[in-house]
Amino acid sequence: MAELTKTISDLTTPVVLLDRAKTIANIRSMQDHCNANGVGLWPHMKTHKMVEMAKLQLAAGAQGLTCAKVGEAEAMLPSGVRRIFIAHSLVDVRVAPRLTKLADQLDELRVAATSVAQAEALERVAMATGRVLKVMLALDTGLHREGVRDIESAKGVAAICARCPQLELAGIYTHEGQLYGAKPEEQSERTAAVLQRMIEVRDAIDTSLPLWPGCSVTAPLMAATGKVQVVRPGAYMFGDMALAVTSQVMAPIDVAIHVLVTVVDRPEPGLALIDAGSKVFSSDKTALGVHAIAVDGRDIQAVRLNEEHGYLRGSDVDTLKVGDRLQLMPAHVCTVINLTNQVTVVEGATIVDRWRVDARGRVD
Ligand SMILES: Cc1ncc(COP(=O)(O)O)c(C=O)c1O
């Protein structure tokens, strides 16, 4: 722990604050819920990209980690992780040597088969690794991104796995990210529909295949059904506006990542400019066009961003003066972490550590 200032009032801004106690409580609560339902937890590390965070999740009982990219998986090895699922469409044989090296350092490496066309390419990748790879069949359950669209394609992917000695079909997964758009009162029904679709497709191929859905909005609901074997949420241990305000699956007080910013100008009534823009928050916003909100309850929102400026509006914005500092809850936490080299770890206002974002930029 090098050269720590003592409290957040010593910090210059903008700075990303990670509340350690809240983070640990969020990890514990998801893990306890999974344990109580006999469901495995393979958190998606895309949200945190930090070895320190992976260590906390694994120590709490996570069975493995989900990654999007091979580079993210490589960056997580120092956490001591033994099982990794790369939930992305691998197609390039040039990645095979890296996969082989990864597999050598793990007890289990799972890869994704996301369509018939991609599975044909994956087969060539697997042959080049010289390893038997466990394959998770991706099913589109409404996001309309990767994943087979129908039972015929699911059977096509299963047939490719059956003919290739180096691909072993080992489960079905989905990312039901469309649930971020569900109203709180619709979540149970829409989660049940996702699960029903997974069961339907699974039963058409092999009734013994485990089901691995993955989304922080649905993870507690999915785990409680007793019909899935693993859940793979990502953002749950930090939270953001998407989880605490829009979908309301967590309390705003439990959100563990805040961005501390400074008001740098008040060019006109009703507008405050802050020292953090899209290079801190990314361009992500809620469906209502909000990039971040004040966490102290005042009606203050970042409604527009340039690279180095945020535009604060809201009925309480005229309570702000130049030099004031405030903490904001971001609309989408994953992209905020991805833009910073390190987070400042706090307990209340006390700085207790700084953690590197190890997989920052590992989009490879
Ligand atoms: C394939 C996949 N699995 C799991 C997740 C985790 O979702 P969430 O961040 O909603 O928990 C994501 C998020 O984008 C994803 O793309």
Side-chain angles (χ1 to χ4, degrees):
M1 212 167 66
E3 300 168 36
L4 286 186
T5 44
K6 290 191 182 66
T7 73
I8 59 173
S9 60
D10 299 316
L11 296 168
T12 55
T13 68
V15 61
V16 178
L17 306 176
L18 181 156
D19 187 304
R20 185 165 65 183
K22 289 181 184 180
T23 303
I24 289 172
N26 292 336
I27 290 173
R28 191 70 265 161
S29 136
M30 184 65 79
Q31 188 66 57
D32 286 350
H33 183 71
C34 287
N35 293 350
N37 288 285
V39 169
L41 180 58
W42 288 52
H44 203 314
M45 53 60 67
K46 67 188 274 290
T47 303
H48 60 69
K49 288 181 170 262
M50 289 179 235
V51 167
E52 286 302 325
M53 286 295 310
K55 281 186 189 165
L56 287 176
Q57 291 173 316
L58 294 165
Q63 293 177 348
L65 293 177
T66 305
C67 302
K69 297 302 184 77
V70 178
E72 288 181 333
E74 290 164 344
M76 288 301 107
L77 287 173
S79 70
V81 63
R82 301 303 309 164
R83 292 178 200 84
I84 286 182
F85 169 33
I86 300 176
H88 207 276
S89 310
L90 295 173
V91 298
D92 186 351
V93 288
R94 280 168 284 218
V95 90
R98 290 169 64 197
L99 283 181
T100 309
K101 204 166 162 203
L102 252 183
D104 286 345
Q105 294 172 83
L106 295 169
D107 295 334
E108 186 176 315
L109 176 63
R110 290 179 181 244
V111 296
T114 56
S115 71
V116 170
Q118 183 270 346
E120 281 165 352
L122 180 67
E123 186 177 11
R124 292 189 286 277
V125 176
M127 298 302 282
T129 64
R131 295 285 181 287
V132 176
L133 299 176
K134 284 188 189 289
V135 177
M136 301 298 294
L137 166 66
L139 174 64
D140 172 39
T141 51
L143 186 62
H144 306 320
R145 196 179 64 183
E146 82 278 33
V148 294
R149 273 27 181 190
D150 50 46
I151 287 175
E152 201 189 326
S153 309
K155 286 183 174 167
V157 172
I160 292 169
C161 294
R163 79 174 180 217
C164 175
Q166 283 170 287
L167 294 179
E168 179 196 328
L169 188 57
I172 300 192
Y173 84 99
T174 191
H175 169 52
E176 60 277 33
Q178 72 277 8
L179 264 291
Y180 278 98
K183 295 195 179 87
E185 62 273 20
E186 298 168 350
Q187 285 162 6
S188 295
E189 201 178 322
R190 289 184 58 182
T191 301
V194 168
L195 178 58
Q196 189 47 42
R197 181 66 180 151
M198 293 187 86
I199 291 171
E200 192 181 14
V201 173
R202 189 263 317 269
D203 289 353
I205 308 172
D206 176 351
T207 53
S208 70
L209 288 176
L211 300 180
W212 290 32
C215 176
S216 294
V217 176
T218 64
L221 291 170
M222 285 289 192
T225 64
K227 292 180 179 166
V228 304
Q229 283 63 48
V230 164
V231 290
R232 304 171 299 100
Y236 71 99
M237 77 281 157
F238 292 154
D240 52 18
M241 286 184 72
L243 290 175
V245 178
T246 312
S247 60
Q248 296 173 24
V249 294
M250 72 190 289
I253 189 87
D254 294 334
V255 172
I257 294 284
H258 293 162
V259 183
L260 180 65
V261 302
T262 300
V263 176
V264 294
D265 208 346
R266 290 295 325 272
E268 63 189 42
L271 173 66
L273 297 178
I274 53 170
D275 56 353
S278 60
K279 285 184 173 168
V280 173
F281 290 103
S282 83
S283 301
D284 285 9
K285 53 190 174 191
T286 67
L288 298 176
V290 177
H291 298 278
I293 49 167
V295 299
D296 61 11
R298 280 181 291 177
D299 176 26
I300 296 173
Q301 304 110 28
V303 293
R304 184 179 165 195
L305 303 175
N306 296 145
E307 286 182 50
E308 307 295 0
H309 291 89
Y311 296 61
L312 299 186
R313 300 265 186 200
S315 61
D316 290 325
V317 87
D318 288 328
T319 62
L320 295 172
K321 52 187 192 317
V322 168
D324 281 357
R325 292 147 67 95
L326 69 164
Q327 293 189 31
L328 299 179
M329 180 196 302
H332 183 194
V333 67
C334 308
T335 51
V336 171
I337 302 293
N338 184 52
L339 288 172
T340 190
N341 289 337
Q342 62 174 17
V343 295
T344 299
V345 184
V346 297
E347 293 277 3
T350 307
I351 297 166
V352 293
D353 214 341
R354 286 198 174 85
W355 291 346
R356 225 169 77 84
V357 183
D358 305 272
R360 183 181 183 201
R362 294 306 303 268
V363 290
D364 54 324

